[in-house]
């Protein structure tokens, strides 16, 4: 008797091979990180790149750092500028700014897709236009365009066999979807001097998150709006294109001014869904008085300043604007202030440090912007 050769199933393991990258692309990945750290300073970034090249051999005899700079020029990533004193220098272009934002998005959003970690999960799913990948049995009233034909046909074959095909109501399954709503977000970034104290760079992760969030909204959710503001002694709005050049200044922390500007920006939005994200070390230390003078207390948590912060949190609550605070310091007395501030607003707070800041902001943004409706 002749036996058919058995079919073997299993896994085949191979040695990992790094995907090919041209010399330019490989060095460009490092260059984009350095440009972010140097706040757009091309010369400083190249100095760092040369140092890294000495240690890690990024280049070869056939492709040097000077060759890389020439390619940056040819590809339109840098341009020559003339200083007021007549000296020429190199600066990055809008094309580079977009590349930096895209890299930040890939780094942060890629981690979320791989890890699947989240902090706030909704318990409701229902009728909408964003697919979840989850299925349930068909119920009377479900729209026919929500029926998954592939899954339903598979059920019919399993339940009734292939020979006499029959599709019944019991075989139908529906893919769960989410109803998407438009969201207006203001991202507040603390640029006070404390954001670089104690040899900890807090501003670079903050602006990287801002660039990634801006890229996400403009590419994936173009109907949403994102306004970005920074606050030190005062608060002012910045454009997305300004983010790579953002630096910490010799400022105190005027949280009240930041919140006032954020709410002014959101009042102009027509969307009903509005929110404020605030990245800070949680230490308000400055207030502008009605006569224009600044009331400052470098020790932080001055009672007069703190009470003004609580009042702003309550005002935002009355306007139905939740504030999510991402605190990147671990001092217990500052955490207590953030807890009371959050209670006044009935918002949320994350005590993140720097690790995981991007993932937390992205998860919260994705959760908040989806209005989940329970189906009938």
């Amino acid at each position: 008797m002749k036996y058919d050769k058995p079919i073997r199933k299993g896994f085949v393991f191979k040695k990992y091979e790094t995907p090919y990258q041209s010399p330019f692309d490989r060095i460009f990945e490092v260059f984009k990180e350095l440009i972010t750290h140097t706040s757009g300073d091309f010369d400083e970034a190249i100095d760092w790149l040369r140092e890294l090249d000495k240690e890690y051999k990024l280049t070869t005899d056939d492709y040097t750092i000077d060759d890389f700079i020439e390619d940056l020029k040819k590809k339109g990533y840098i341009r020559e500028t003339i200083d007021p004193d007549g000296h020429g220098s190199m600066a990055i272009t809008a094309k580079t700014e977009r590349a930096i934002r895209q890299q930040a998005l890939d780094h942060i959003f890629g981690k979320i897709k791989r890890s699947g970690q989240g902090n706030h999960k909704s318990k409701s799913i229902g009728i909408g236009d964003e697919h979840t990948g989850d299925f349930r049995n068909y119920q009377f009233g479900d729209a026919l365009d929500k029926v998954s034909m592939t899954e339903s046909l598979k059920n019919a074959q399993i339940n009734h066999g292939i020979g006499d095909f029959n599709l019944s109501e019991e075989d139908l399954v529906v893919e769960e979807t989410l109803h998407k709503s438009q969201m207006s977000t203001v991202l507040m970034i603390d640029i006070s001097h404390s954001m670089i104290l104690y040899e900890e760079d807090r501003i670079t992760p903050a602006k990287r998150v801002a660039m990634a969030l801006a890229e996400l909204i403009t590419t994936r959710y173009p109907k949403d709006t994102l306004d970005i503001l920074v606050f030190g002694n005062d608060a002012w709005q910045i454009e997305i294109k300004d983010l790579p050049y953002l630096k910490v200044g010799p400022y105190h922390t005027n949280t009240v001014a930041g919140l006032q500007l954020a709410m002014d920006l959101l009042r102009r939005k027509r969307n009903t869904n509005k929110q404020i994200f605030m990245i800070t070390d949680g230490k308000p230390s400055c207030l502008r008085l009605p006569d224009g003078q600044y009331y400052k207390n470098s020790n932080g948590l001055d009672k007069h300043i703190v009470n003004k912060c609580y009042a702003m949190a309550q005002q935002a609550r009355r306007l139905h604007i939740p504030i999510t605070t991402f605190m990147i310091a671990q001092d217990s007395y500052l955490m207590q202030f953030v807890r009371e501030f959050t209670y006044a607003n009935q918002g949320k707070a994350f005590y993140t440090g720097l690790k995981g800041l991007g993932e937390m902001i992205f998860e919260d943004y994705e959760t908040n912007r989806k209005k989940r409706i329970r189906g009938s």
Side-chain angles (χ1 to χ4, degrees):
M1 176 182 268
K2 184 178 179 181
Y3 293 94
D4 293 331
K5 188 175 180 179
I7 299 175
R8 296 182 180 181
K9 296 182 179 180
F11 297 97
V12 177
F13 294 93
K14 295 182 180 179
K15 184 178 179 181
Y16 175 76
E17 296 181 2
T18 305
Y20 173 77
Q21 279 188 307
S22 68
F24 173 82
D25 290 335
R26 186 177 65 254
I27 301 173
F28 191 48
E29 292 297 309
V30 181
F31 173 75
K32 287 184 286 187
E33 286 291 331
L34 294 174
I35 276 290
T36 302
H37 280 278
T38 61
S39 297
D41 189 321
F42 175 80
D43 292 332
E44 186 180 356
I46 290 296
D47 288 342
W48 276 105
L49 189 61
R50 293 187 190 278
E51 291 298 319
L52 291 174
D53 184 33
K54 291 178 183 177
E55 185 171 355
Y56 298 104
K57 308 298 182 187
L58 301 176
T59 64
T60 65
D61 292 337
D62 296 328
Y63 194 83
T64 66
I65 296 296
D66 291 332
D67 293 327
F68 173 70
I69 294 173
E70 283 302 314
D71 278 348
L72 287 175
K73 294 178 184 177
K74 293 176 183 177
K75 295 176 183 290
Y77 287 109
I78 57 175
R79 58 184 173 83
E80 188 171 2
T81 60
I82 305 298
D83 299 331
D85 57 6
H87 293 92
S89 60
M90 302 305 299
I92 63 174
T93 64
K95 185 177 181 180
T96 308
E97 294 165 3
R98 288 193 300 271
I100 296 171
R101 293 198 300 269
Q102 184 60 53
Q103 183 184 55
L105 176 62
D106 291 341
H107 283 182
I108 295 174
F109 201 59
K111 289 180 183 178
I112 294 174
K113 289 191 289 187
R114 287 194 296 271
S115 67
Q117 296 176 347
N119 297 282
H120 302 279
K121 297 296 184 183
S122 173
K123 297 178 181 178
S124 301
I125 50 182
I127 301 171
D129 52 7
E130 183 166 330
H131 298 276
T132 68
D134 298 324
F135 298 95
R136 61 172 174 80
N137 292 332
Y138 174 84
Q139 298 175 0
F140 178 76
D142 286 333
L144 293 179
D145 62 346
K146 302 302 180 185
V147 173
S148 172
M149 292 307 300
T150 302
E151 293 296 320
S152 299
L153 291 172
K154 183 174 72 174
N155 283 347
Q157 292 177 349
I158 293 172
N159 295 334
H160 310 292
I162 300 177
D164 185 17
F165 178 76
N166 181 33
L167 179 66
S168 65
E169 183 177 334
E170 287 71 25
D171 302 321
L172 299 178
V173 292
V174 174
E175 183 175 4
E176 297 283 18
T177 55
L178 301 172
H179 175 70
K180 296 188 295 186
S181 57
Q182 293 180 357
M183 174 68 73
S184 290
T185 302
V186 172
L187 177 62
M188 298 173 50
I189 303 176
D190 185 347
I191 60 168
S192 62
H193 184 61
S194 59
M195 292 288 281
I196 54 169
L197 284 180
Y198 317 116
E199 298 183 350
E200 185 174 51
D201 178 8
R202 299 168 177 173
I203 191 63
T204 299
K207 66 183 179 183
R208 182 181 288 118
V209 167
M211 288 189 291
L213 192 59
E215 190 69 10
L216 175 78
I217 290 174
T218 55
T219 57
R220 182 169 175 179
Y221 303 121
K223 292 184 179 180
D224 286 9
T225 66
L226 174 67
D227 291 286
I228 304 170
L229 66 88
V230 294
F231 60 106
N233 291 347
D234 293 291
W236 59 96
Q237 190 175 4
I238 64 173
E239 301 294 330
I240 291 174
K241 63 182 179 62
D242 300 327
L243 283 170
Y245 313 101
L246 191 60
K247 295 181 180 180
V248 167
Y251 306 123
H252 286 70
T253 309
N254 192 343
T255 306
V256 170
L259 292 170
Q260 286 175 332
L261 178 56
M263 283 189 278
D264 286 343
L265 291 170
L266 288 174
R267 285 190 186 98
R268 305 170 194 168
K269 307 298 181 183
R270 295 181 179 180
N271 297 341
T272 56
N273 300 305
K274 303 174 183 180
Q275 64 182 352
I276 295 172
F277 284 172
M278 179 167 64
I279 304 175
T280 182
D281 59 4
K283 189 179 180 181
S285 58
C286 177
L287 198 65
R288 191 167 189 178
L289 301 175
D291 62 3
Q293 297 186 51
Y294 293 96
Y295 175 79
K296 301 176 181 178
N297 187 338
S298 298
N299 294 324
L301 301 193
D302 179 283
K303 187 175 181 180
H304 180 57
I305 297 174
V306 165
N307 286 339
K308 287 288 187 181
C309 291
Y310 294 155
M312 292 302 298
Q314 292 170 344
Q315 182 179 343
R317 180 186 176 185
R318 289 192 292 271
L319 294 172
H320 305 290
I321 300 175
I323 302 172
T324 303
T325 304
F326 297 89
M327 183 181 174
I328 51 180
Q330 301 295 329
D331 307 79
S332 57
Y333 75 104
L334 295 179
M335 292 172 70
Q336 180 60 32
F337 159 71
V338 172
R339 277 192 285 268
E340 294 179 10
F341 176 86
T342 302
Y343 177 78
N345 176 255
Q346 293 296 293
K348 286 177 286 187
F350 295 90
Y351 307 97
T352 69
L354 296 177
K355 186 178 181 181
L357 174 65
E359 289 91 331
M360 287 185 177
I361 288 182
F362 269 55
E363 285 285 355
D364 206 53
Y365 178 79
E366 291 274 304
T367 300
N368 290 353
R369 75 170 307 282
K370 294 172 183 173
K371 181 182 178 184
R372 304 189 180 214
I373 305 173
R374 186 179 301 278
S376 57

